[in-house]
Structures are given as structure tokens and as C-alpha cells.
Amino acid sequence: MQIPTFGTRDIAFIAMFAAIIAALGAIPPIPVPIIPVPITAQTLGVMLAGSVLGAWRGSLAVALLLALVAMGLPLLSGGRGGIGVFFGPTAGFLYGWLAGALVVGYLFERFWKRVDIALAFIFNVVGGILAIYAFGIAWLVTMVGLEPKAAIVSSAAFIPGDFIKAGIAAFVAVTVKRAYPIIARRA
């Protein structure tokens, strides 16, 4: 994967998707019993960033959002922000957002000419769910001290909502591909 050069339009798209992820944080989080990680809408934004912008621009949109959060802006669901969130129980999922956007974006770029709604859904599941969960569950086990089985089982509460988000992201990505190919240009 080659590092691309970015123009003004790319920077605008990166900023716009960082703003979309932040705006999805305004939707109140849904607490989950047993696990200290709420259900949020922001993973939809991560999936959309990778699906529409591709690997580099999508992951840069997530990185921009996380940098703003680190500076103290309350852009995460529930109005959270500041450097402390990168050391709390949800931190692994935040780190997973970077990997999620990168994986989703890479898959879209790699198979761009063949992407349909079903393939787009699979790509969002692989990057937007599996990659993010890998980081989040690993963090819960190593840093929070949950038993691996408990971390995996408790994370299952997120699966139905995340499948819905993957479906929405797939639909939007395929629609954008058809309507605005300049936004979703691929290597």
C-alpha cells in the first residue's frame, strides 16, 4: 500500500469525516451491564470513513478525531474527551478505530471494481467489527483485567447493533460509489 499525496479536496474530506464521527458522538451512549464500554453510534462513522474515503484518508479522519479528543475536546459519545480516555476501559476500542478504518478502506480499495452491497457489508464487518473488537477485547483483558471469556461474552452485546451499522455503512458506500465517484476514488 503506497502512501498517497493529499490535496485540498482530500483534506476537506478527512475533516468532514472526522466531523461526522464527532457528530455521531452526540447520540447518547447506551450502557451495557458487566462491561464498562457503552454502545455508541461512532463506530458507524469509522466504518463510513474507511468505506467512502479509503484506507489512508479514512484512517486519517479517525486520527484527526482522536487527536482532537486528546486535546480535550468532548467529541466522544457521552461528551468524553481528554487524554485520560486513552487509558480508560474504552481505550482499546478507540485504538481499534484506526485499524478498523484502515482495514475497511484497504478492502474497499483492493476490490473496488467488484464492490456491491453484500461485499461492502462483509468489508465493514471485517474491519469495522472484527478489527475494532480485536483491539477492544485485548485492552479489556490486558489493561482492565477482565478474563478473556468474560471480555468476549460481554462484547457480544454490541454485535446486533454493529451489524446494523455495517449494513448502513455498506449501503452508503455503494450509493456514494455510484453517485460521487470523485469522493470515493480508488487506487
Side-chain angles (χ1 to χ4, degrees):
M1 189 166 31
Q2 183 179 347
I3 298 175
T5 56
F6 296 113
T8 305
R9 183 181 308 201
D10 296 310
I11 293 168
F13 289 146
I14 290 165
M16 179 177 64
F17 273 83
I20 288 170
I21 299 168
L24 288 168
I27 298 171
I30 301 168
V32 178
I34 304 172
I35 188 171
V37 180
I39 296 173
T40 72
Q42 287 183 294
T43 51
L44 171 60
V46 172
M47 292 178 202
L48 287 170
S51 296
V52 174
L53 297 181
W56 285 104
R57 292 184 300 170
S59 58
L60 284 173
V62 172
L64 174 59
L65 175 84
L66 295 178
L68 294 171
V69 167
M71 287 188 251
L73 295 175
L75 301 177
L76 295 178
S77 187
R80 296 174 306 121
I83 198 74
V85 298
F86 295 98
F87 301 100
T90 62
F93 291 95
L94 297 178
Y95 299 129
W97 286 2
L98 284 168
L102 189 69
V103 170
V104 170
Y106 173 77
L107 291 170
F108 268 86
E109 289 171 357
R110 176 76 174 85
F111 300 100
W112 184 242
K113 291 181 180 169
R114 293 185 290 200
V115 170
D116 61 7
I117 196 83
L119 202 52
F121 177 77
I122 291 168
F123 293 165
N124 278 291
V125 168
V126 170
I129 299 175
L130 296 178
I132 293 172
Y133 278 46
F135 280 83
I137 290 171
W139 183 270
L140 288 170
V141 170
T142 58
M143 303 305 285
V144 178
L146 283 177
E147 291 294 321
K149 184 178 179 183
I152 292 168
V153 169
S154 60
S155 294
F158 297 96
I159 297 289
D162 283 337
F163 275 118
I164 292 169
K165 293 176 213 173
I168 293 169
F171 174 77
V172 170
V174 170
T175 302
V176 167
K177 174 187 173 187
R178 291 180 187 143
Y180 302 101
I182 190 72
I183 293 175
R185 70 161 200 248
R186 299 295 182 235

